[in-house]
Amino acid sequence: MTERIGFEPKIIGFLCNWCSYAGADLAGVSRIQYPPNIRIIRVMCSGRIDPAFVLEAFKNGADGVLVAGCHLPSDCHYLSGNFKAARRIALLRKVLADFGIEPERLRLEWVSASEGDRFAAIVRDIVEEIRKLGPNPFKNKDGETQ
Amino acid sequence: MSNKKVGAVLVVGGGVAGIQASLDLADSGFRVYLLDQSPSIGGVMAQLDKTFPTNDCSMCILSPKLVATGRHPNITIVTNAEITGLDGEAGDFKVKIKKRSRYVIEEKCNGCGICAQKCPVEAVDRFNEGLSNRNAVFVEYPQAVPLKYMIDREKCIGCGTCYEVCKAGAIKYDQKDSETTLNVGSIILAPGFEPFDARLKSEYGYGRFKNVVTSIEFERILSASGPYGGLVLRPSDGEIPKKIAFIQCVGSRDYQLGNTYCSAACCMYGMKEAVIAKEHTPSPLDATIFYMDMRAYGKEFDAYYERAQGEWGIRFVRSRVAGVTEDPRTGNLVIHYVENETPKTEEFDMIVLSIGMHPPKNIEKLASTLGVQLNKYKFCQTNTFAPTETSKPGIFVCGAFSAPKDIPESVAQASGAAAKAMEVIASERGTLVTAKEYPPERDVSKEEPRIGVFVCHCGINIGGVVNVPEVVEYAKKLPHVVYAEANVYTCSQDTQKLIKEKIQQNNLNRVIVASCTPRTHEPLFRETVQESGLNPYLFEMTNIRDQCSWVHMHEPKEATEKAKDLVRSIVAKAALLKPLKKPRINVTPVGLVIGGGVSGMTAALELARQGFEVHLVEREKELGGHLRSIHYLLEGNENPQERLKALINAVNENSKIHVYTETQVTEVSGFVGNFKSKLHQNNGEEKEIEHGVVIVATGAVEYKPTEYLYGKDPRVMTQHELEEKIANGQFKAKNIVMIQCVGARNDERPNCARVCCGQAIKNALKIKEKDPDAEVYVLYKDMRAYGFKEDHYREAATKGVLFVNYSDERKPQVVNDNGTLKVTFYEPIIGKEIEIEPDALVLSAATIPNPDNKRLAEMLKVPLTKDGFFLEAHMKLRPVDFATDGVFLCGMAHSPKYIDESIAQACAAAARATTILAKDTLEMEGIIANVSEDLCSGCRICEPICPYGAIEMKDKNGKLVAHVIEALCKGCGACGTACPTKAITMGHFTNEEILAQVRAALVEVKA
Amino acid sequence: MIFRPKIVAFMCHWSLPPEIDVSTPSLIRGYPKIRIVKTMCAGRIDPAIVMETFLKGADGVLVVGCHSPDCHYVDGNTQAERKVKMLKRLIRLTGFDPERLRLEWANASEIENLARIINHFRNQVASLGASPLTSGESNSDVVINIKAAKAVAENFTLRLLVGREKEMTENANVYGDKVSQEEFDRLLEETLEAEFIRHKIHQLITEKPMSVKEIAAETHMEPSQTLCHIVNMRRKNMITLDHVKGTTPLYKALEAH
C-alpha cells in the first residue's frame, strides 16, 4: 500500500452514461488501478453538463473537474451532445480564468466504452497535473468552507 | 393438419442479427427464445474495435442492445445450446434443444468474477483470437450477456478453488447437460458465418510467419480492451510496425479454393482497419491495401474510400498477391505481386489478411435437422423476392448465413425476418408475453425523505477492499437516512425480498444501493422498489465497485473514504428525488406508407398481414415504381414482371390496404403513435388520415446522363433503356460498349450507385445468351459484383465479355466521327489506347435520389445525406429507423439497392413499425425534460438544440413558450443546459439534484 | 581457506533429537555453520521461506521431517515432499543448483543418523562451493532469478496447486476423476515456467522500463513468446505500458499485489 502524504487533489468527474461511464466501468472490470482522488457523477449526456455544475464544484473546493463524453464526431448516443459539451467547456475554460481559476483545472476528454485503460490514464494524468498546480485558489481565498 | 398456432419464436444465433430479430419480436408481443451455441450472445460484432463507415466504437453501440436483450421480459436467452430435432410445421414447431452444462448455476452467478481471479489454470482466450489467455473459468468478454461464468471443462483440472471462493454458491461441478423441447410458431436462423481459415491459403504464410495476422485478430489488436491495449504491435517482437499491408480477398473470389463468391464486407473493413491502425499508432504508419476491386458499394462507402486515399493517406495497389515470404532475421515480410504485368516485391513489417466469410461450422447438420436447403456454398438458399425465407415454411433467415454481408445489411434483414416470423403467428400476438403487475403507487409527496441505504459487499469484490460496515455506519449518520445495512450480494433474489421488507418496516420513501454499475443493475433495483409500491425513480445507485474497490485495490483506506463520499453524494441527490411518471400515449394502429414501388408495397402488405390498416400513397398512376422497368434478374430465374403483378394484386386484394395513386402527402403533423396527414390527389381531392407510423419508400430515379453523347446519338442508351430493348426483342447490336459509373463516383455524386455493375453483367450475359458472337466491352472502375454476384461476373468473363479497367485520370472518350460512333479507352494490361466503333454504347447511369426527397424530409423533419438520400438514425444498427420515433424508411429512398435488399428492408421497416403499432399505448421513458412556462421567455434557443425535434413552440395565453413533446424526448438534457432562464429541468437529473450531488461529494455534511 | 558452507536446516519438532539445543549453532563439532530452525512439522515449510533463506545467503537448505508413516500430523511429511519437489523444479529454472536443497527423513531417537545426513549434505554443498547469491552483486542474473522464484513461491496459484495435489492425484478432483501424476506434473511444470518467467520479467522492469526485445534478450526467450507473457502480465495488472519510444513500447512493473 502506498502511503499518501501532502496535497491530495479532489477531482469531480462528470461522465456521460453511454460511453465514458461505461469506460470507467471497464477500467474497474479490468482492475486497472488509478488514484482514488476522483468522485464520479453520472449524467445522461455530456451535453447535459451545465457550466453551473462545474462552477459549483470549484466553489465547493474541487481542485479539478473532468468532463467526459463520447468520442467526436459520431459516438454520441444523443447524436450531437458531445459537440455541445465541447463548445460549452471551451467557453467555460475562458470564464474560469476570470474567477482566478486556472483553466487547466477543467478537462474535457472523450472516452469510449472500450477505453478502460484510457480512462485510468486520464485520471492519473489529471491527478498529477493538479498536484503540480496545487490546491484550488478559490478554496484558499475564501477558506475551506463556503 | 392442426390449426394450433404458438405466439413464440425461436431465434438461432445471438449475433447482432439474432439480437435485432429478437428485440423486434419481443417488442411486438411475442415470446422469444434466443439460442446461441456459445456461453454469451454478441457474436463477431462484440470482437470488433470500430465499425465503418462512421468509425463508431463497436462495443459502445452494441452493448446497449446486449443489455436490452438480456433484461427483456419476453426474451429467454438459451446459451451453450444447439438444436437436435424438429417436429411440427409453421405455426406450431416443437424444437429439441440440447444445452451443454456451464457447471455454474446461472440463476446464482452474479458475474462478480472472483472465480476467474483465483482459478489457477490458464487457457487460450478465443475471444481475443488466441492472442492472450483467460482462465479455465471465464466469461467471453467483460460486457458479455448473460454475465454468467462458465467452466471450460476441457481445461479445468477440478481443483475446487472456484467453489471455495464463490460466495454466491453458483459453482456446480455435477451439473449435467440438459435437453428440452421448445414449442414455437416460427424460427429465424441467424447463425452468422465462420471466418475463413487463413492457413488454407498457405502462400500467404499465416500460421508460419508471426507477423501475418487475420483481420479478426487485427480487430482485437486494435481494440483498447484487446490483448495489446489498442496499440498495433508485431506479434514477433512487440514493436510498432512502420509499414503495414492488407491483403484483400483471402478465402474469397478464390477459384483454387472453390470459394468463388465475394465476402462483401472485407473491402470496407480492410479500409477501416487501415484507417484505425494509423489512428492508433503514435509514429507515422504506412498502410497499403492490395486489392482486386475496391467494393465500396454501400451507403456513403465511397466517400469513406475517398477519405481513406486522401485525408488518411492509405495507398491502394490493384493486384492479386501471389505470395508472401519472410525474412527470418527481422520477421519482416515480402509481398510478391504483379502490377501492370510486371512482377514486383515489397517489404512490410506486418501483414493483415482480410479473411472472408464462410458458412457456419456444422451447418449441414443443422440444415438437415431443420429440413432447410443450402446453396452450393452451403449458405442458406433464398430467392430474390423472398430474401428472408428458407425452403421450409415457417423458418426464416437473416444475417451472413443467407449470404456474406455487413452489419447494417444483417440488421435490416434481421428486422425483415422478424416481420415474416410474426406474420405466421400474427393471430397469437400477446398470448405468451408476460405483463407485469405492480401494486398501486404510494404517494410520498407529503413525506419527509426517509432514505434506506443498502451497501453491497459483492462477495469480496467490494468488501475485500472497502470497509463496508464502516460505510454502513457512516451512511446511518447522513441526513434523511433512516436505515442502512450491508448485503453479501445486494443483487441476489433474496436481497430483493429483503429490500422490500425494509421499505415496509421503515416506511422508506427513497432507496439507495451502493454497489456496482447502474448501467446493468439499475433496472433490477427500480423494479424492486416499484414492487413495493414506490415510484421507480425514487431509487438511486452509486458505484463503489467498478469505480472504487476494483480500481483502488491496494488503498483500502482511501477506497473506504471514497465510498463514503460517493454514498454521501448520492444521499444528497436522493433526498431531492421526485417521482416521475412514465408518460403513456395512445397509438393509432394504422400505418402510412409513402411510395408504391416494390418496397412500399411490400411494407404495406407486411403491415396488413400483421393485422394493421395501411394507407399506401403513390404519386404515379400505377403501382410498381422502378420494378416496372426490370424484366429479368441477375440472380435466379424468377420473372420480375410476373412477381410485380402478383404483388400488385396482393396489395389491391388486401382489404386492410387503402391504395391512393396519383396522390401526394402534403402535410404531416403529430408524433409517434399519433400522426395526422393530408393527402392531395391529382384530381384535386383532399383527404386527411390519422396513423401511428410513417414508412418512407419513395425510391430513387435513374440519372439522365449529360456525358458520352447521351441524348445526342440514338445509339447511346442507359442500362434500363437497353433492358427494355432486349425485353422487347428490339436490340440487335453486335458490337457493344458499356461504360460504368456514369454520374456516380464523381465530384458531384461521390458515392457508388451499387446496382449498375450487376445491371451491366446481367445485360451483357443476356446479350451473349441471345447472340454468343456479339462483342461486349465493359469499361469499369471497380467491378462491384459482391456476394454471390461474383459468380455471374466470372460467367460473363468466361463467355467472352471483356472487362477493361479505367481510371478517373483516363476516362473513355466517345465521339461521333461523321456518323461513326467511336469509343477510345486505355487498356492497362497491354498498355495501349484502343479504339472501338460500337453499334451501341450503354451507359451505366447512376441511381440518384428522388427529387421529391427534400420536400418530404422537411415535412417529416428527418435528415438527408449530402447526396440527397434519406439519412437513417444510425448507419450501423438502425438502418431503417429515423432518429424521429415512428418514422421509418426502406428501399432506394435509403440508398440504391437490389430488389432482394429492398424487400428485406421493406419487411424490416414493417417490423420496426409493428413494435409501435402492436401496442395500445406506448410507455415513454420517465426521464424527460420539463418546461416551466412561467420561466420560459420563448427565446427558442432550445428548439434547434434538440436532436429529436422534441421541442415545439406553443402559444400560451398570448405568450410563446417551449413545449416538450414527451413522446419524442430522449432525456439527454441538452435543452436544459442551454436554457438561459433555467426554465427547462430534466427529470431525475435536475439542476438541484446534480448541484446537491456535487456539493456533497466535496463537503462533509452532518445530520 | 577452507570453504565452510552456511547451511540452514528446517527440522520438525518430532524428528529432532532432544539432545540437540537449537539455540546453539553448533550441532556437530567442527561444523559451526549449521543453523537449525525448528518447526512443528516439516509440512509447515513455506516455499517462500526457503527461497528467502537462499536469498539471505545460505549455501544449502536442508529440510528434515519424520519417516513416512510416523508424521505426527498424519501427512505433513508428504506435503513437505511435494513442496520440496516443486521447489526443486522451480530452482532448476533459476540456474541455481537444486542440489543445494534437500529433504531427509529422520527420527528423534537417531541422532547418529541425523549427523550422517547433515554431514553428507554439508559435503555435497561444500563441493558445490559458495552460493552465487553471496557474491554481493545485487543485480546478477541469479539474484533476480531467485527473487523471481521467491515471488513465484509466494504466488497464490502455485501454492494452491501444490496444496491440492494430494487430493487430486490420490483421491479425486471435484468431478470425481483421479488426475494422473503425469498430468498434474505437466500442469505444475507449465505453471511454474510461466509464473517464473513472468516474475522474472517483473523483477527486470521494476527499476527501469524495458521493451519486449530487451526483455527477450535478458530472459533468453523468443521475443514473440516474451510478448505473450507481457500480454498476460498486463491482463493481470502486473505491469503496464510506461511509454512508447519511437516504435518501441516500454513496459514497467506495477507494485506487487
Side-chain angles (χ1 to χ4, degrees):
Chain A
M1 200 187 99
T2 15
E3 200 54 47
R4 296 184 177 270
I5 36 158
F7 167 55
E8 278 307 324
K10 281 187 185 173
I11 318 283
I12 292 287
F14 295 101
L15 270 56
C16 88
N17 181 59
W18 304 97
C19 294
S20 309
Y21 196 91
D25 281 346
L26 184 61
V29 174
S30 326
R31 313 294 197 275
I32 303 163
Q33 305 295 298
Y34 57 81
N37 303 58
I38 190 162
R39 305 291 180 263
I40 289 167
I41 291 174
R42 180 171 70 117
V43 291
M44 293 312 279
C45 178
S46 58
R48 168 67 185 118
I49 295 153
D50 196 308
F53 304 163
V54 176
L55 293 174
E56 185 73 8
F58 283 122
K59 196 176 121 195
N60 284 282
D63 300 299
V65 172
L66 166 68
V67 172
C70 307
H71 277 280
L72 296 173
S74 59
D75 277 16
C76 177
H77 190 81
Y78 302 106
L79 312 179
S80 58
N82 46 0
F83 281 101
K84 289 167 191 142
R87 284 197 295 274
R88 271 191 202 119
I89 299 303
L91 287 172
L92 187 55
R93 282 164 69 104
K94 291 199 174 111
V95 176
L96 281 181
D98 297 341
F99 283 89
I101 293 172
E102 301 90 333
E104 299 80 56
R105 292 186 189 274
L106 172 59
R107 279 271 281 269
L108 174 67
E109 296 281 357
W110 310 127
V111 178
S112 83
S114 62
E115 294 178 327
D117 225 339
R118 178 174 155 79
F119 178 77
I122 287 169
V123 176
R124 278 195 289 268
D125 190 60
I126 291 177
V127 171
E128 264 327 293
E129 198 175 322
I130 304 287
R131 223 186 272 280
K132 280 183 210 141
L133 277 174
N136 172 357
F138 219 61
K139 188 160 62 177
N140 287 350
K141 256 184 269 167
D142 302 274
E144 281 280 351
T145 48
Q146 297 287 317
Chain B
M1 195 172 135
S2 91
N3 286 321
K4 185 188 157 199
K5 292 216 160 123
V6 184
V9 181
L10 170 67
V11 178
V12 184
V16 66
I19 287 172
Q20 183 62 47
S22 300
L23 285 171
D24 285 337
L25 288 161
D27 284 340
S28 301
F30 297 95
R31 168 138 294 277
V32 177
Y33 301 96
L34 174 56
L35 182 137
D36 201 293
Q37 55 180 353
S38 59
S40 45
I41 59 171
V44 176
M45 187 174 173
Q47 288 181 288
L48 306 183
D49 177 44
K50 301 277 173 12
T51 60
F52 61 81
T54 51
N55 289 354
D56 274 327
C57 151
S58 185
M59 191 47 82
C60 297
I61 58 176
L62 179 63
S63 171
K65 290 225 181 210
L66 294 174
V67 174
T69 307
R71 70 180 186 220
H72 202 295
N74 298 335
I75 300 177
T76 309
I77 299 177
V78 189
T79 50
N80 292 317
E82 59 177 305
I83 294 177
T84 54
L86 176 77
D87 270 327
E89 57 198 40
D92 183 16
F93 286 117
K94 295 206 171 49
V95 194
K96 260 215 233 137
I97 308 286
K98 186 177 159 198
K99 190 168 156 52
R100 273 180 298 122
S101 167
R102 216 180 243 280
Y103 304 96
V104 169
I105 304 164
E106 289 187 32
E107 295 71 30
K108 287 192 177 175
C109 174
N110 48 49
C112 80
I114 197 76
C115 50
Q117 293 267 309
K118 297 293 180 191
C119 173
V121 183
E122 284 186 16
V124 168
D125 185 349
R126 264 171 274 160
F127 185 78
N128 270 341
E129 295 294 314
L131 293 167
S132 71
N133 290 352
R134 58 160 168 77
N135 294 89
V137 56
F138 70 105
V139 283
E140 287 187 289
Y141 54 102
Q143 302 86 346
V145 169
L147 193 64
K148 307 290 176 192
Y149 278 75
M150 168 166 171
I151 293 176
D152 178 345
R153 187 61 188 87
E154 268 175 35
K155 282 285 169 183
C156 175
I157 52 160
C159 69
T161 305
C162 45
Y163 180 84
E164 305 286 333
V165 298
C166 179
K167 296 273 187 295
I171 305 288
K172 190 169 166 56
Y173 297 117
D174 58 358
Q175 195 178 60
K176 295 275 176 292
D177 293 355
S178 58
E179 287 207 352
T180 162
T181 302
L182 298 174
N183 191 192
V184 295
S186 47
I187 299 172
I188 292 177
L189 302 179
F193 66 94
E194 177 76 17
F196 172 70
D197 178 2
R199 279 176 190 83
L200 299 176
K201 194 82 191 150
S202 57
E203 59 268 43
Y204 292 164
Y206 179 77
R208 286 185 292 138
F209 308 146
K210 293 203 167 68
N211 294 328
V212 178
V213 300
T214 69
S215 43
I216 300 206
E217 281 171 354
F218 201 65
E219 290 285 346
R220 294 314 300 151
I221 288 176
L222 289 172
S223 172
S225 44
Y228 300 163
L231 213 51
V232 179
L233 302 179
R234 300 194 336 148
S236 76
D237 56 9
E239 291 282 309
I240 297 170
K242 293 197 240 346
K243 214 175 154 204
I244 188 166
F246 292 79
I247 302 179
Q248 297 304 112
C249 300
V250 179
S252 311
R253 303 182 68 183
D254 190 319
Y255 312 125
Q256 287 155 353
L257 290 171
N259 313 315
T260 53
Y261 58 86
C262 157
S263 290
C266 327
C267 282
M268 286 309 291
Y269 80 60
M271 252 192 274
K272 172 204 71 184
E273 288 185 357
V275 167
I276 304 297
K278 281 176 84 92
E279 239 171 47
H280 283 207
T281 305
S283 41
L285 177 70
D286 225 39
T288 305
I289 297 182
F290 290 88
Y291 72 102
M292 298 203 288
D293 292 282
M294 240 325 129
R295 294 188 166 165
Y297 55 84
K299 190 172 184 175
E300 303 282 303
F301 288 2
D302 255 319
Y304 194 87
Y305 182 25
E306 282 293 319
R307 288 180 72 198
Q309 295 171 86
E311 185 183 330
W312 289 309
I314 315 271
R315 182 174 142 231
F316 290 83
V317 177
R318 187 191 286 270
S319 168
R320 178 96 190 174
V321 170
V324 173
T325 50
E326 188 195 40
D327 179 345
R329 289 166 305 138
T330 58
N332 288 353
L333 305 150
V334 178
I335 288 189
H336 302 260
Y337 66 104
V338 178
E339 195 181 27
N340 300 333
E341 298 295 288
T342 325
K344 291 183 177 171
T345 60
E346 186 168 341
E347 192 170 300
F348 291 90
D349 298 336
M350 189 170 177
I351 289 176
V352 181
L353 304 180
S354 293
I355 51 173
M357 297 185 201
H358 280 226
K361 254 188 205 155
N362 305 324
I363 196 64
E364 284 165 291
K365 201 175 134 215
L366 179 68
S368 82
T369 306
L370 297 178
V372 162
Q373 255 176 41
L374 301 178
N375 70 12
K376 65 173 171 173
Y377 299 114
K378 301 193 174 51
F379 285 91
C380 189
Q381 178 67 49
T382 59
N383 292 320
T384 297
F385 286 89
T388 58
E389 289 167 45
T390 70
S391 58
K392 178 145 176 161
I395 303 186
F396 305 93
V397 62
C398 62
F401 177 43
S402 72
K405 58 174 62 67
D406 64 10
I407 293 169
E409 301 276 326
S410 296
V411 171
Q413 216 190 7
S415 292
K420 300 305 277 185
M422 286 187 243
E423 196 187 301
V424 178
I425 47 171
S427 58
E428 305 307 304
R429 188 188 306 282
T431 52
L432 291 177
V433 295
T434 27
K436 201 156 174 166
E437 294 288 331
Y438 292 101
E441 203 171 291
R442 212 174 96 198
D443 178 14
V444 301
S445 59
K446 309 240 162 25
E447 299 172 14
E448 276 293 298
R450 291 179 63 82
I451 303 175
V453 181
F454 297 83
V455 186
C456 183
H457 275 277
C458 194
I460 62 165
N461 284 294
I462 295 171
V465 179
V466 169
N467 187 332
V468 170
E470 203 181 309
V471 176
V472 170
E473 286 313 306
Y474 180 80
K476 283 181 182 168
K477 298 194 189 89
L478 292 168
H480 303 301
V481 174
V482 294
Y483 183 79
E485 70 162 46
N487 316 108
V488 179
Y489 289 107
T490 309
C491 61
S492 69
Q493 279 308 315
D494 43 326
T495 311
Q496 303 319 298
K497 236 174 87 197
L498 188 128
I499 292 175
K500 283 184 257 178
E501 281 168 24
K502 296 299 172 192
I503 291 174
Q504 307 304 339
Q505 286 166 13
N506 299 285
N507 199 27
L508 303 176
N509 54 27
R510 307 282 189 285
V511 175
I512 288 172
V513 170
S515 61
C516 53
T517 176
R519 288 174 46 254
T520 53
H521 281 67
E522 197 173 54
L524 168 75
F525 295 124
R526 275 193 181 158
E527 204 172 309
T528 301
V529 302
Q530 201 172 357
E531 282 167 7
S532 68
L534 284 179
N535 182 285
Y537 294 97
L538 295 174
F539 171 79
E540 254 300 352
M541 208 171 161
T542 191
N543 189 340
I544 61 168
R545 187 187 73 178
D546 310 46
Q547 298 178 4
C548 187
S549 67
W550 275 353
V551 288
H552 314 308
M553 294 174 85
H554 318 307
E555 292 159 296
K557 219 176 100 232
E558 285 79 0
T560 304
E561 287 311 310
K562 177 169 172 178
K564 287 185 195 167
D565 287 358
L566 290 172
V567 168
R568 188 176 68 230
S569 173
I570 206 70
V571 164
K573 176 178 181 186
L576 299 171
L577 288 177
K578 296 224 164 29
L580 296 180
K581 283 270 163 291
K582 291 189 175 177
R584 286 200 154 272
I585 53 167
N586 289 323
V587 176
T588 311
V590 176
L592 166 65
V593 178
I594 309 176
V598 63
S599 301
M601 284 192 287
T602 305
L605 258 185
E606 275 317 309
L607 282 182
R609 286 172 182 161
Q610 306 290 344
F612 307 110
E613 215 177 299
V614 190
H615 299 282
L616 176 62
V617 179
E618 167 60 45
R619 205 173 45 173
E620 303 291 323
K621 219 153 126 190
E622 278 174 67
L623 292 173
H626 207 71
L627 183 56
R628 283 191 291 155
S629 61
I630 298 178
H631 300 277
Y632 43 87
L633 301 175
L634 177 66
E635 298 175 278
N637 296 320
E638 290 164 289
N639 182 329
Q641 291 308 312
E642 274 172 25
R643 297 306 304 240
L644 175 62
K645 247 180 248 155
L647 189 59
I648 294 175
N649 282 344
V651 167
N652 285 331
E653 280 164 16
N654 195 308
S655 60
K656 286 191 179 309
I657 304 178
H658 311 283
V659 180
Y660 308 85
T661 49
E662 294 186 279
T663 303
Q664 295 202 43
V665 181
T666 50
E667 202 182 308
V668 178
S669 63
F671 48 85
V672 57
N674 303 275
F675 290 105
K676 270 201 183 80
S677 297
K678 276 191 189 142
L679 309 183
H680 178 87
Q681 284 171 291
N682 284 5
N683 60 17
E685 257 180 65
E686 294 270 346
K687 189 179 161 75
E688 198 169 282
I689 53 166
E690 291 188 8
H691 51 102
V693 297
V694 184
I695 295 177
V696 178
T698 47
V701 297
E702 190 183 54
Y703 168 66
K704 290 287 157 234
T706 52
E707 42 284 79
Y708 302 124
L709 302 180
Y710 180 80
K712 292 177 190 127
D713 189 310
R715 288 164 293 188
V716 184
M717 66 196 88
T718 65
Q719 290 285 0
H720 273 296
E721 290 158 358
L722 168 66
E723 185 167 336
E724 201 74 46
K725 281 194 171 132
I726 296 176
N728 296 339
Q730 294 164 350
F731 189 73
K732 300 274 183 287
K734 280 268 178 205
N735 204 341
I736 302 109
V737 174
M738 295 183 180
I739 301 178
Q740 299 303 105
C741 296
V742 178
R745 301 183 68 187
N746 56 20
D747 291 339
E748 195 190 343
R749 275 179 295 273
N751 285 301
C752 168
R754 188 174 181 133
V755 295
C756 344
C757 282
Q759 261 180 331
I761 295 167
K762 176 177 88 170
N763 288 338
L765 277 169
K766 205 71 181 177
I767 292 169
K768 280 282 188 190
E769 181 194 306
K770 304 224 160 177
D771 180 4
D773 298 330
E775 279 208 25
V776 185
Y777 293 85
V778 180
L779 312 183
Y780 71 97
K781 286 167 75 170
D782 293 278
M783 276 319 280
R784 292 181 168 171
Y786 59 93
F788 302 133
K789 295 173 186 67
E790 176 73 14
D791 281 349
H792 303 285
Y793 175 29
R794 195 174 20 133
E795 186 194 341
T798 316
K799 289 191 170 153
V801 176
L802 290 163
F803 291 91
V804 181
N805 181 239
Y806 77 85
S807 67
D808 278 335
E809 293 74 42
R810 296 184 97 150
K811 283 189 174 166
Q813 301 297 321
V814 178
V815 289
N816 184 333
D817 188 1
N818 288 326
T820 309
L821 193 61
K822 285 185 177 164
V823 181
T824 18
F825 55 89
Y826 177 75
E827 154 63 78
I829 292 174
I830 53 175
K832 274 200 184 113
E833 290 276 347
I834 290 187
E835 192 184 272
I836 307 264
E837 293 174 7
D839 37 13
L841 172 64
V842 184
L843 306 182
S844 288
T847 306
I848 60 172
N850 190 326
D852 201 26
N853 284 1
K854 204 161 173 295
R855 184 188 68 89
L856 263 176
E858 278 165 12
M859 196 166 70
L860 291 163
K861 296 190 197 69
V862 296
L864 296 176
T865 64
K866 263 190 251 165
D867 299 4
F869 289 101
F870 283 97
L871 178 61
E872 61 271 33
H874 192 279
M875 286 229 180
K876 215 69 189 175
L877 292 188
R878 297 180 67 191
V880 300
D881 296 16
F882 280 111
T884 310
D885 281 347
V887 189
F888 305 92
L889 76 164
C890 61
M892 303 235 273
H894 165 277
S895 68
K897 52 180 59 67
Y898 289 95
I899 296 168
D900 52 334
E901 295 163 339
S902 284
I903 291 175
Q905 253 196 356
C907 293
R912 300 289 303 141
T914 301
T915 62
I916 294 168
L917 297 180
K919 298 184 180 98
D920 299 334
T921 59
L922 288 179
E923 190 184 61
M924 314 308 288
E925 173 53 56
I927 300 178
I928 55 171
N930 281 295
V931 182
S932 157
E933 290 172 354
D934 290 342
L935 290 175
C936 177
S937 65
C939 73
R940 309 190 88 131
I941 283 181
C942 52
E943 203 185 355
I945 290 266
C946 177
Y948 304 98
I951 295 186
E952 59 181 7
M953 302 307 290
K954 268 194 173 174
D955 186 75
K956 192 90 184 184
N957 306 326
K959 182 185 160 193
L960 194 66
V961 291
H963 171 77
V964 176
I965 304 166
E966 290 177 335
L968 298 181
C969 177
K970 299 272 181 256
C972 68
C975 54
T977 309
C979 178
T981 59
K982 305 221 182 316
I984 305 185
T985 51
M986 278 309 305
H988 211 67
F989 290 91
T990 66
N991 283 4
E992 294 71 35
E993 285 165 4
I994 297 178
L995 289 171
Q997 205 182 347
V998 170
R999 231 172 284 135
L1002 291 159
V1003 183
E1004 195 69 47
V1005 270
K1006 287 279 176 296
Chain C
M1 206 176 100
I2 308 165
F3 170 60
R4 290 170 193 275
K6 281 183 274 181
I7 289 172
V8 175
F10 294 96
M11 296 192 60
C12 102
H13 174 78
W14 310 94
S15 61
L16 190 63
E19 303 90 306
I20 295 175
D21 176 2
V22 290
S23 61
T24 66
S26 157
L27 172 64
I28 297 162
R29 210 160 56 88
Y31 307 106
K33 284 194 174 170
I34 291 176
R35 305 291 200 281
I36 292 175
V37 178
K38 188 174 88 174
T39 60
M40 289 312 285
C41 177
R44 168 70 185 91
I45 300 306
D46 188 320
I49 293 176
V50 173
M51 298 315 296
E52 180 65 16
T53 308
F54 283 123
L55 269 174
K56 285 273 152 51
D59 298 304
V61 172
L62 179 66
V63 179
V64 183
C66 300
H67 287 285
S68 207
D70 300 344
C71 177
H72 194 80
Y73 306 100
V74 189
D75 67 346
N77 49 1
T78 58
Q79 285 185 34
E81 199 173 3
R82 294 182 193 283
K83 283 177 188 162
V84 170
K85 182 183 76 179
M86 183 275 280
L87 268 170
K88 280 181 169 280
R89 289 179 177 196
L90 180 58
I91 291 170
R92 214 167 283 136
L93 297 170
T94 65
F96 194 76
D97 199 321
E99 297 301 308
R100 292 185 189 274
L101 171 65
R102 196 177 178 93
L103 174 68
E104 287 284 359
W105 307 128
N107 186 311
S109 61
E110 305 168 343
I111 191 162
E112 298 80 11
N113 181 36
L114 184 64
R116 202 172 55 244
I117 286 169
I118 291 174
N119 204 13
H120 181 76
F121 184 58
R122 198 214 65 87
N123 287 340
Q124 183 182 318
V125 174
S127 72
L128 293 171
S131 158
L133 293 167
T134 56
S135 68
E137 280 177 55
S138 65
N139 266 331
S140 68
D141 202 39
V142 67
V143 172
I144 285 172
N145 284 353
I146 295 289
K147 277 187 182 165
K150 187 193 159 202
V152 175
E154 281 170 344
N155 178 277
F156 174 84
T157 304
L158 272 181
R159 297 170 80 96
L160 183 108
L161 284 179
V162 175
R164 304 261 196 234
E165 179 176 358
K166 181 178 151 69
E167 182 63 26
M168 287 170 44
T169 55
E170 290 177 10
N171 289 325
N173 69 8
V174 293
Y175 303 103
D177 304 329
K178 193 167 162 176
V179 178
S180 75
Q181 191 64 47
E182 297 80 62
E183 194 188 332
F184 184 88
D185 284 350
R186 198 176 341 108
L187 175 75
L188 186 69
E189 193 72 38
E190 273 170 25
T191 313
L192 268 176
E193 279 177 23
E195 290 296 329
F196 170 70
I197 204 72
R198 290 177 192 174
H199 282 94
K200 176 163 182 179
I201 294 172
H202 192 266
Q203 289 290 332
L204 285 170
I205 58 177
T206 297
E207 298 292 320
K208 71 169 174 79
M210 286 169 79
S211 71
V212 168
K213 277 184 180 169
E214 288 166 342
I215 296 167
E218 290 280 342
T219 53
H220 316 291
M221 250 192 316
E222 285 290 321
S224 59
Q225 213 186 338
T226 310
L227 178 63
C228 291
H229 284 301
I230 293 285
V231 166
N232 286 304
M233 289 171 76
R234 279 185 84 172
R235 186 175 76 91
K236 296 183 168 192
N237 292 306
M238 290 173 78
I239 60 169
T240 187
L241 176 72
D242 189 68
H243 66 282
V244 177
K245 198 174 150 194
T247 55
T248 309
L250 293 120
Y251 302 89
K252 69 162 187 231
L254 288 171
E255 240 171 274
H257 301 162

